[in-house]
Amino acid sequence: MPNLEKHAADGRNSQVLPKVPVPPLKQTLDTYLKCVQLLVKEEQFKKTKAIVEKFGAPGGVGEVLQKKLVEQREKTINWVYDYWLEDMYLNNRLALPVNSSPAMVFPKQPFRDRKDALRFAARLISGVLEYKALIDKRALPVDFARGQLAGTPLCMEQYYRLFTSYRYPGLKTDTLRVNMNAASKAPEHMIVACKNQFFVLDVVANSKQLSEMEILVQLEKIVKMSENSKDGFPPFGILTSDGRTEWARAREALTKDQVNRESLGLIENCLGVLCLDEPCSLQPSDTNRALMMLHGGGGEKNGANRWYDKSMQFIVGMDGICGVVCEHSPFEGIVMVQCSEHLIKYIKGNPPEMVKSSSIRELPPPKRLQWKSDHQIQALIEAAGNRLQRLVNNLDMDVFTFKAYGKEYIKKQKVSPDAFIQVAMQLAFFKCRGRLVSTYESASTRRFQEGRVDNIRSATPEALAFVKSMTDERDTFPDSEKIKRLKDAINAQTNYTIAAISGMGIDNHLLGLLRIAKELNMEKPEIFSDESYVTSNHFILSTSQVPTTEEMFCCYGPVVPNGYGACYNPQSDHIIFCVSSFWEDTETSSAVFVTALNEGLLEIRELCNRSSAAVTKPADSSQRASHPPKSGK
């Protein structure tokens, strides 16, 4: 099917993938009520129900907005794309590290010395150049959906932004610039950060790409140059770790000087950033490696040896702590995973080049970026460093490998591993807090042109019924009732997942209606200023499944001050969970959540094992399939 590949790969003018739909208004409003009912008190819910009914009434505001949204769909490739990008990322004023940028953590590398680390870095860059060449040729094979509704071709547009994107800070909103034009003007340099200094590494010389050996020679020169402290500059990279408005102000101050403008231009137009980190003097546990990827340990360690606005930062620590940090606005985690897996395979599969020194070209030394500073800029750097340190001190991270079973055991229960794990996380949260809260699970909408994500709301009435039966102190529920509730909860979760990936989720739809009202200069409809809407969009549990085939894992921070970030990676016989929260919030604790998760997963297995032992003849699976679909349908 060469034709499909060509179209799917051409993204913007692709006629093969459908446009993302606008869900029916009544369906979204009904699902919305079902979702918020368990999040708010009864009195508040009554109020919300009346507001929603008024909004959705025939001839009401909702119908007017819906009609406009349907017209918008006709005129655009993806009606929600810009609304979502601004709401999710560009309008967000929080610092990128921890709050927004996810990280991929590689296995600890067994470097014997600095030369080993630089060899690894050189091979990594060669792998990046190979992957970029595939993207430029549009030669990446098309991704096909796995899991629910498997086999559908997916939009490849996000891959073309991996090395061509840059997020500019703005006073009120950021700008994502993607340089999609002709490859002839493509950047041919990477930026290398070393000892908080920045260097230009040209990856092409005399229109020939550098060999791995040549890259290594250049990296060795960079390390040598970085050790000459009299040429050093203040740690400008730390400015990019600040709140977006603060960084925008600092960037305005920087760009008054031509020297700074030129240095910024070189960073803003690079392929990616390679961060050569100093040893961080911490145990290389999974948790510590995750922390080093997310924030670099602050200014004291490697936190200033970064440039957070660039979409891909490859981190190679001299102590073997390595990984990738991504600016999240151009693409989703799966694209970062695919790129990272390609790199790990490349590094493993290519023996180091043994090259005769005669075949290494005499290359000009790499350029150190120059900066002009003054008292104001020094003060801004110091303030940014203090704020980053606060963020570092506040992050409570616990990377936990659950070893009792993995997705193979879950599949034997004839249920979706993802839905099963989501229900287990609801149980864990309920064990900690005695209630369920607004939960976000990202659902890919890449089945559609330029699709990104919508939200699977995992805190369902069915999940609540199940967790109550599991935590009932009087133990009034027989196993048969518990297992029925477990299956109902997993079915509800699966049905919501199918709805969300099919473009029938409620979050993007409601956001679209809100934004259309704004564009029409209407007064903000009451549904959006209602307390229930605010509560439902405060995601105390922010979750994402990021599976890998190579040995690595993804992590990120919570999205609200009193919340948890919970990223999980199901493997055949174990599951890796990265749970994050903030120390400053006394109600959250990553260790407490992990303990509850471990307990819950073991209890669910015991329940499944007891039930299958009790049922000599397995329940007819066709019966289960005939359950009416639950939410989102």
Side-chain angles (χ1 to χ4, degrees):
M1 289 161 59
N3 202 10
L4 172 76
E5 294 226 1
K6 183 184 176 314
H7 280 290
D10 280 349
R12 294 197 174 274
N13 46 17
S14 149
Q15 288 312 307
V16 171
L17 295 179
K19 284 184 174 190
V20 69
V22 176
L25 182 64
K26 184 180 183 323
Q27 174 182 296
T28 290
L29 297 180
D30 289 349
T31 305
Y32 171 66
L33 285 174
K34 193 177 168 187
C35 290
V36 298
Q37 184 162 12
L38 59 89
L39 302 177
V40 297
K41 295 202 165 73
E42 199 178 334
E43 205 44 48
Q44 173 59 37
F45 180 69
K46 275 190 193 141
K47 197 177 137 192
T48 298
K49 197 162 185 268
I51 291 169
V52 169
E53 279 166 6
K54 184 180 160 204
F55 180 78
V61 176
E63 283 194 355
V64 175
L65 299 176
Q66 176 77 354
K67 187 167 167 284
K68 286 282 183 208
L69 205 51
V70 171
E71 287 168 17
Q72 178 91 326
R73 179 178 183 262
E74 292 309 305
K75 295 192 296 237
T76 49
I77 291 177
N78 183 319
W79 63 265
V80 75
Y81 189 90
D82 288 334
Y83 296 156
W84 175 89
L85 185 64
E86 288 160 21
D87 180 68
M88 184 70 111
Y89 295 113
L90 304 183
N91 296 341
N92 193 334
R93 303 289 79 205
L94 293 174
L96 297 184
V98 176
N99 303 305
S100 175
S101 296
M104 190 48 80
V105 184
F106 291 174
K108 181 179 184 297
Q109 300 301 315
F111 301 147
R112 288 167 309 224
D113 52 25
R114 177 160 282 215
K115 178 97 179 187
D116 252 5
L118 294 181
R119 271 195 204 102
F120 178 90
R123 182 118 21 113
L124 181 80
I125 291 179
S126 286
V128 166
L129 296 176
E130 181 192 76
Y131 198 65
K132 181 168 188 302
L134 285 174
I135 293 173
D136 289 347
K137 288 205 292 277
R138 304 241 149 179
L140 282 184
V142 172
D143 287 346
F144 286 89
R146 291 186 288 220
Q148 300 299 335
L149 312 184
T152 321
L154 302 178
C155 176
M156 297 295 284
E157 201 61 26
Q158 294 178 36
Y159 287 95
Y160 308 118
R161 298 195 278 262
L162 263 171
F163 303 111
T164 53
S165 304
Y166 189 85
R167 178 165 166 179
Y168 289 85
L171 293 171
K172 287 203 170 66
T173 182
D174 287 3
T175 308
L176 176 64
R177 201 196 69 204
V178 184
N179 184 18
M180 290 295 243
N181 47 18
S184 60
K185 294 208 288 288
E188 295 187 330
H189 69 278
M190 286 188 73
I191 292 292
V192 180
C194 185
K195 291 192 189 298
N196 304 340
Q197 307 291 303
F198 296 92
F199 300 86
V200 177
L201 171 69
D202 288 311
V203 291
V204 174
N206 301 330
S207 54
K208 184 169 170 281
Q209 194 171 297
L210 267 62
S211 70
E212 192 179 304
M213 212 54 210
E214 289 169 334
I215 293 169
L216 175 60
V217 169
Q218 295 297 74
L219 291 179
E220 286 174 333
K221 287 180 196 164
I222 284 172
V223 169
K224 218 165 181 55
M225 288 164 77
S226 75
E227 281 161 356
N228 196 346
S229 57
K230 73 168 170 48
D231 297 336
F233 292 103
F236 279 84
I238 210 150
L239 292 170
T240 68
S241 76
D242 211 345
R244 300 309 288 169
T245 302
E246 289 82 356
W247 166 216
R249 287 203 189 99
R251 192 177 174 281
E252 274 181 10
L254 280 180
T255 50
K256 288 186 178 128
D257 190 283
Q258 177 66 24
V259 171
N260 295 339
R261 283 202 296 277
E262 282 168 16
S263 289
L264 286 168
L266 283 161
I267 298 177
E268 289 159 4
N269 291 299
C270 72
L271 279 174
V273 180
L274 170 70
C275 308
L276 298 175
D277 276 7
E278 293 301 300
C280 68
S281 66
L282 294 171
Q283 269 306 100
S285 65
D286 287 352
T287 298
N288 282 338
R289 296 204 317 280
L291 291 171
M292 286 305 106
M293 289 307 113
L294 286 174
H295 55 50
E300 304 292 297
K301 293 190 161 60
N302 294 298
N305 204 46
R306 300 280 183 276
W307 199 272
Y308 280 101
D309 296 354
K310 187 60 201 166
S311 45
M312 294 295 275
Q313 296 191 86
F314 303 96
I315 293 163
V316 177
M318 296 301 131
D319 51 7
I321 294 182
C322 303
V324 182
V325 181
C326 287
E327 198 289 288
H328 209 338
S329 64
F331 46 79
E332 301 317 322
I334 187 65
V335 174
M336 164 172 86
V337 171
Q338 299 285 55
C339 175
S340 301
E341 303 224 312
H342 182 96
L343 295 176
I344 292 280
K345 288 188 180 90
Y346 181 91
I347 290 166
K348 279 190 194 164
N350 288 0
E353 287 180 4
M354 299 313 286
V355 187
K356 292 200 287 294
S357 55
S358 61
S359 66
I360 299 178
R361 296 175 286 173
E362 217 14 81
L363 297 165
K367 285 201 302 279
R368 181 199 295 266
L369 292 187
Q370 302 295 312
W371 301 98
K372 283 279 173 48
S373 188
D374 58 25
H375 288 312
Q376 183 202 3
I377 290 168
Q378 286 282 21
L380 292 169
I381 288 173
E382 200 172 311
N386 292 338
R387 281 189 284 267
L388 178 60
Q389 202 51 50
R390 256 217 325 272
L391 193 56
V392 168
N393 297 343
N394 196 9
L395 184 61
D396 171 14
M397 169 68 76
D398 197 330
V399 180
F400 157 65
T401 301
F402 176 75
K403 294 186 173 140
Y405 58 89
K407 64 181 179 207
E408 290 313 312
Y409 173 81
I410 301 172
K411 282 178 184 165
K412 288 199 180 98
Q413 311 311 308
K414 299 190 167 48
V415 294
S416 144
D418 186 65
F420 180 100
I421 294 168
Q422 283 288 334
V423 171
M425 288 204 281
Q426 294 298 318
L427 175 58
F429 193 91
F430 194 86
K431 280 170 170 283
C432 296
R433 301 289 283 281
R435 64 187 178 110
L436 292 190
V437 289
S438 193
T439 304
Y440 185 99
E441 182 196 357
S442 48
S444 171
T445 54
R446 283 175 60 208
R447 286 166 175 72
F448 303 101
Q449 290 181 58
E450 302 218 350
R452 291 292 298 264
V453 295
D454 204 336
N455 175 18
I456 302 164
R457 289 184 165 267
S458 310
T460 60
E462 293 83 355
L464 183 61
F466 167 66
V467 302
K468 281 182 168 169
S469 73
M470 291 294 280
T471 51
D472 177 51
E473 282 172 7
R474 294 187 305 255
D475 203 19
T476 38
F477 297 92
D479 279 356
S480 58
E481 176 60 22
K482 287 180 188 172
I483 204 88
K484 181 193 170 295
R485 290 185 178 201
L486 172 63
K487 289 192 170 151
D488 287 348
I490 289 174
N491 280 339
Q493 177 69 20
T494 304
N495 289 329
Y496 202 121
T497 301
I498 292 168
I501 61 181
S502 311
M504 291 288 149
I506 67 170
D507 285 65
N508 286 355
H509 188 194
L510 290 169
L511 173 66
L513 296 168
L514 169 63
R515 289 293 298 267
I516 290 278
K518 202 173 170 182
E519 284 170 21
L520 296 173
N521 290 323
M522 285 167 67
E523 198 179 319
K524 191 186 213 175
E526 200 181 354
I527 183 174
F528 300 118
S529 44
D530 176 40
E531 190 188 311
S532 298
Y533 186 72
V534 176
T535 302
S536 76
N537 280 291
H538 185 82
F539 295 109
I540 289 178
L541 203 48
S542 171
T543 72
S544 185
Q545 173 181 234
V546 184
T548 62
T549 57
E550 293 290 325
E551 196 194 330
M552 54 169 111
F553 61 86
C554 178
C555 58
Y556 51 78
V559 296
V560 294
N562 62 336
Y564 287 103
C567 191
Y568 53 100
N569 181 348
Q571 296 293 315
S572 57
D573 62 351
H574 65 277
I575 309 165
I576 305 167
F577 290 95
C578 295
V579 176
S580 60
S581 59
F582 291 122
W583 291 108
E584 280 172 13
D585 186 270
T586 50
E587 287 195 320
T588 57
S589 157
S590 299
V592 168
F593 188 80
V594 157
T595 303
L597 194 51
N598 186 47
E599 266 177 26
L601 285 162
L602 293 173
E603 285 166 13
I604 296 175
R605 180 180 67 173
E606 283 161 23
L607 173 66
C608 291
N609 289 352
R610 287 196 306 268
S611 299
S612 55
V615 181
T616 42
K617 183 172 163 287
D620 186 273
S621 59
S622 65
Q623 259 179 318
R624 219 180 47 245
S626 70
H627 272 323
K630 295 275 178 352
S631 73
K633 286 275 181 285

